Amino acid sequence: MNISVVIPLLNEQESLTELNDWIAKVMQSNHFSYEVIFIDDGSTDDSWQIISHLSKQNSHVKGIRFLKNFGKSQALHAGFEKAQGDVVITMDADLQDNPNEIPELYNMIVNDGFDLVSGWKKKRYDSVLAKNLPSKLFNWAARKTSGVKLNDFNCGLKAYKLDVVKNIDVNGEMHRYIPVLSKNAGFTKIGEKIVQHQARKYGETKFGMNRFVHGFLDLITIWFLSRFGKRPMHLFGALGFLMFAIGFGFATYLGIDKLFLNPMGRLITQRPQFYIALVTMIIGTQFFVAGFLGEIILRTKQNKKRYLIKDELNF
């Protein structure tokens, strides 16, 4: 199979039929063998009924239905587990991603040898203050922190080699950082393609300003995991040693001062240095404990299912 198109969605009943027909037209005109995997992330409208109808009309259409809303990352993970195409294309279901971009994205993976190609919506039709400016700031921070030189981490339109999606773990809200996860997994040939962005035709966006706050927090998480995820003691142990050394230094100074330099001076408990020493040694010890606990958890953790599937179609 040439292409798997993975489409997570939440309450997009108006756009599904039009999107499916558009994808089918592109695939047929380019003679691709393909599958379209819709992942219904707990929709409360008629999205699943429409997916069921489409799957009966077209065997290329497949569906996964979550028991409730588990998030876009979990939806992508479920789609990646089922995908069989040599190239996996992800796109949003709101018609803002253009299926006509699929053939060139496919060629960049197959012929140009990229592991991953990310879309770049250079010209956007979103609100400047609500989305464009925060998105530029977010992308700048992501580039600086991760070392992945992309202009648009948030673009849902991406293409992957099948090996990439089978060897990365997309969880939490890490869908924004799939290129970073891919780089950390060893897939370093990452490209970018300017793609056409279209104004939303139906409904309204499911993401508010809080996604940028969550995005920055996730950026810190992925930075930590990429550097210390396998050896948390390297970070917490170093911080613990530093804090304990500061506290021990203050305590040693206070002891020498009281015993030898100024024995008739103030009581140690009346000096602020005593409390600095005490607090920093306690914090240092806590960092050490956090490092040990992190190592123990890392060695004993079990992979737990992060979503529950209610129905499947055509698998």
Side-chain angles (χ1 to χ4, degrees):
M1 184 183 297
N2 298 130
I3 297 175
S4 294
V5 183
V6 176
I7 305 175
L9 62 105
L10 175 65
N11 296 332
E12 297 287 359
Q13 62 180 14
E14 298 92 350
S15 61
L16 292 178
T17 301
E18 183 176 344
L19 176 61
N20 179 70
D21 292 345
W22 195 353
I23 292 172
K25 181 179 178 181
V26 171
M27 296 298 182
Q28 291 165 9
S29 63
N30 288 274
H31 306 290
F32 289 135
S33 57
Y34 74 100
E35 62 181 357
V36 179
I37 304 174
F38 290 104
I39 304 97
D40 183 353
D41 186 21
S43 294
T44 56
D45 62 2
D46 292 330
S47 294
W48 183 248
Q49 287 72 19
I50 293 171
I51 294 170
S52 300
H53 178 70
L54 293 173
S55 68
K56 293 175 182 176
Q57 289 185 324
N58 185 350
S59 61
H60 296 291
V61 177
K62 302 177 180 181
I64 298 172
R65 184 186 187 189
F66 283 178
L67 196 61
K68 68 171 189 173
N69 177 243
F70 286 99
K72 187 175 181 178
S73 292
Q74 281 60 242
L76 287 172
H77 188 274
F80 289 164
E81 280 196 330
K82 296 291 187 180
Q84 299 177 11
D86 297 329
V87 175
V88 178
I89 305 287
T90 60
M91 60 172 35
D92 295 332
D94 54 11
L95 295 175
Q96 290 189 285
D97 295 331
N98 191 329
N100 290 330
E101 305 283 357
I102 291 176
E104 190 169 346
L105 289 170
Y106 175 83
N107 288 331
M108 291 178 73
I109 297 292
V110 174
N111 298 325
D112 297 338
F114 285 101
D115 296 318
L116 184 158
V117 179
S118 180
W120 174 16
K121 296 175 181 177
K122 192 172 184 179
K123 182 179 180 181
R124 300 182 65 96
Y125 294 94
D126 295 321
S127 167
V128 174
L129 291 177
K131 281 196 172 182
N132 286 6
L133 290 179
S135 181
K136 289 181 184 297
L137 178 61
F138 166 80
N139 286 315
W140 173 83
R143 284 194 299 272
K144 294 296 182 182
T145 305
S146 67
V148 178
K149 305 302 180 183
L150 294 178
N151 290 285
D152 191 356
F153 283 82
N154 270 323
C155 182
L157 185 57
K158 291 181 172 67
Y160 311 83
K161 286 173 60 176
L162 184 63
D163 286 346
V164 175
V165 302
K166 297 299 185 182
N167 288 283
I168 59 174
D169 184 15
V170 187
N171 57 72
E173 293 189 22
M174 293 299 179
H175 56 273
R176 304 176 183 89
Y177 302 111
I178 292 180
V180 183
L181 296 174
S182 302
K183 177 191 172 186
N184 292 341
F187 300 101
T188 57
K189 193 164 184 183
I190 298 173
E192 188 170 49
K193 179 186 181 299
I194 297 175
V195 296
Q196 182 180 350
H197 180 234
Q198 303 179 142
R200 174 177 276 274
K201 191 172 181 179
Y202 305 106
E204 58 185 22
T205 181
K206 309 301 187 299
F207 301 99
M209 285 293 292
N210 63 340
R211 73 169 179 163
F212 294 107
V213 177
H214 296 162
F216 282 112
L217 294 175
D218 289 336
L219 187 58
I220 296 172
T221 300
I222 203 167
W223 171 85
F224 170 79
L225 291 176
S226 65
R227 286 163 173 77
F228 306 106
K230 293 183 178 179
R231 292 307 304 270
M233 192 61 181
H234 286 184
L235 175 65
F236 292 110
L239 289 174
F241 174 80
L242 177 62
M243 298 298 291
F244 193 88
I246 292 172
F248 188 78
F250 271 115
T252 302
Y253 162 75
L254 290 172
I256 293 173
D257 183 64
K258 185 62 178 176
L259 291 174
F260 302 108
L261 301 180
N262 190 17
M264 303 303 294
R266 289 181 298 170
L267 294 174
I268 289 179
T269 54
Q270 293 177 341
R271 304 178 66 173
Q273 293 92 332
F274 169 76
Y275 297 100
I276 294 175
L278 185 63
V279 169
T280 51
M281 283 194 290
I282 291 174
I283 292 175
T285 303
Q286 290 176 329
F287 273 127
F288 266 108
V289 172
F292 282 125
L293 290 176
E295 294 283 347
I296 292 171
I297 292 170
L298 190 65
R299 283 158 175 72
T300 59
K301 71 175 183 177
Q302 296 179 347
N303 291 327
K304 184 179 179 181
K305 200 85 171 167
R306 296 183 299 272
Y307 50 86
L308 298 173
I309 295 174
K310 185 176 182 180
D311 295 303
E312 293 184 356
L313 296 170
N314 284 347
F315 286 107

